[in-house]
Amino acid sequence: MRVLVLTGAGVSAESGIPTFRGKDGYWRNLDPTKLATPQAFASDPKLVWEWYRERRQGIRNAQPNAAHEAIAKLAKHADAFLLVTQNVDDLHARAGIEKENMVQIHGDIFVTRCSRCDFSYAGRGGSPEPPESWATKSKSGRLRSRNGCEATAGLSIAPTSDSDVDLPICPSCAALMRPGVVWFGEQLSRNELERVEDFLDGGACDAVIVAGTTATFGYIIDWALRGSREGAELIEVNPEETPLSRFATRLVREPAAIALPRIVDQLIALG
Ligand code: OAD
């Protein structure tokens, strides 16, 4: 059985992680779809880092739910399997999906990478925050690198308050570090795109499951349709209608943690 699974924020909703566009998605009255942008980071990196640090903490405290577990079970039973998730959390991984079976197409929230050079820090788990010593604090509210130069990294950095800033600075080039996620308007990783393309080129799927995503990005719809092009079942799991709904061969209007264990058991039973 060859299976493609595409997931979004709804799959982690029942682990207590707010979706982007749901009612709990707003943070300090700010719209996440505006915070997750290069523009927000350029104008207020401290605010954006605070949001990501809180989100990291929320994810560390969360546990995978029955939806993550069902997908991991399917991965083990399938002959060929790829999960493409838009989620930057690590709940799929913690449920047991192997790295080679998963593409985090919008990146990994526990990666901290330089906004200028290739340096990155992937401290998943125990202490994912960059070490304190990387940050240079400034009472003036201006961000300063170790050598005293302003770390602009090609961005216009103007912290909004005069309070201490505590921002991670690249130990290699002294530019500002940023979360290792893809923001709106940014390019997807070429490597990760290739992995999806290779899987789609590798043969027709028997089933495609799309769960917990508003499917607002064209590439999600494209992959779901290409994966199911030769008559595979296209199963959508989402309490709400999405742009993909009209293409689905099976619509499951239930929460992912309820529906996916049942769907996975059915697929496994069919072999
Ligand atoms: P959204 O927040 O846009 O959508 C969450 C989807 O999950 C909605 O369609 C809900 O109806 C559905 N949902 C909510 N609870 C659910 C549950 N318990 N079970 C199943 N479905 C449920 O999140 P995404 O579609 O993942 O991108 O958003 C995609 C991307 O937009 C994110 O990766 C992020 C975001 O802005 C970037 O940051 C580039």
Side-chain angles (χ1 to χ4, degrees):
M1 183 173 41
R2 189 175 179 84
V3 184
L4 173 67
V5 177
L6 303 163
T7 64
V11 162
S12 294
E14 284 150 282
S15 295
I17 300 181
T19 61
F20 265 78
R21 295 174 181 83
K23 60 177 170 32
D24 299 327
Y26 271 61
W27 176 76
R28 297 187 191 167
N29 266 337
L30 297 167
D31 181 349
T33 60
K34 302 222 165 68
L35 280 171
T37 62
Q39 292 79 10
F41 190 68
S43 69
D44 200 339
K46 181 172 179 275
L47 179 79
V48 173
W49 261 119
E50 275 177 43
W51 182 50
Y52 276 96
R53 284 188 170 126
E54 270 188 36
R55 287 178 61 203
R56 284 176 170 182
Q57 199 49 47
I59 292 164
R60 274 185 224 121
N61 294 338
Q63 297 303 325
N65 65 51
H68 300 104
E69 276 153 18
I71 294 167
K73 181 173 173 186
L74 185 56
K76 288 197 177 80
H77 278 82
D79 305 306
F81 179 93
L82 188 69
L83 165 67
V84 182
T85 184
Q86 295 160 87
N87 298 345
V88 296
D89 65 49
D90 61 355
L91 297 181
H92 281 301
R94 281 202 265 145
I97 294 260
E98 302 291 337
K99 256 189 166 170
E100 60 269 22
N101 288 332
M102 172 168 70
V103 170
Q104 280 188 286
I105 200 67
H106 289 165
D108 176 346
I109 197 168
F110 291 116
V111 169
T112 300
R113 68 174 172 85
C114 181
S115 54
R116 182 163 56 198
C117 75
D118 287 340
F119 186 86
S120 81
Y121 176 80
R124 183 192 293 274
S127 177
E129 302 308 330
E132 184 73 14
S133 59
W134 291 12
T136 304
K137 295 187 179 186
S138 154
K139 287 268 180 227
S140 72
R142 304 289 293 176
L143 179 69
R144 297 215 157 258
S145 68
R146 283 162 193 277
N147 61 14
C149 300
E150 273 174 43
T152 56
L155 303 168
S156 144
I157 295 166
T160 47
S161 79
D162 274 352
S163 62
D164 273 1
V165 287
D166 180 6
L167 291 165
I169 299 297
C170 176
S172 172
C173 80
L176 194 54
M177 300 285 280
R178 54 165 283 178
V181 300
V182 178
W183 283 326
F184 286 103
E186 292 187 319
Q187 301 277 323
L188 300 176
S189 146
R190 189 186 293 245
N191 257 359
E192 300 305 279
L193 278 174
E194 270 171 21
R195 292 182 59 211
V196 181
E197 290 300 325
D198 286 350
F199 185 83
L200 289 169
D201 291 345
C205 294
D206 300 294
V208 176
I209 301 176
V210 184
T213 176
T214 44
T216 42
F217 295 106
Y219 45 85
I220 298 298
I221 297 179
D222 178 51
W223 293 333
L225 296 182
R226 283 168 58 203
S228 57
R229 65 192 179 274
E230 286 177 36
E233 205 178 0
L234 175 52
I235 305 167
E236 182 179 64
V237 180
N238 197 315
E240 310 274 334
E241 187 169 343
T242 78
L244 199 66
S245 301
R246 67 193 176 98
F247 301 109
T249 56
R250 188 163 151 201
L251 286 169
V252 186
R253 298 265 174 254
E254 283 177 306
I258 306 278
L260 277 172
R262 187 181 69 238
I263 293 167
V264 163
D265 284 346
Q266 286 165 358
L267 288 173
I268 290 172
L270 286 173

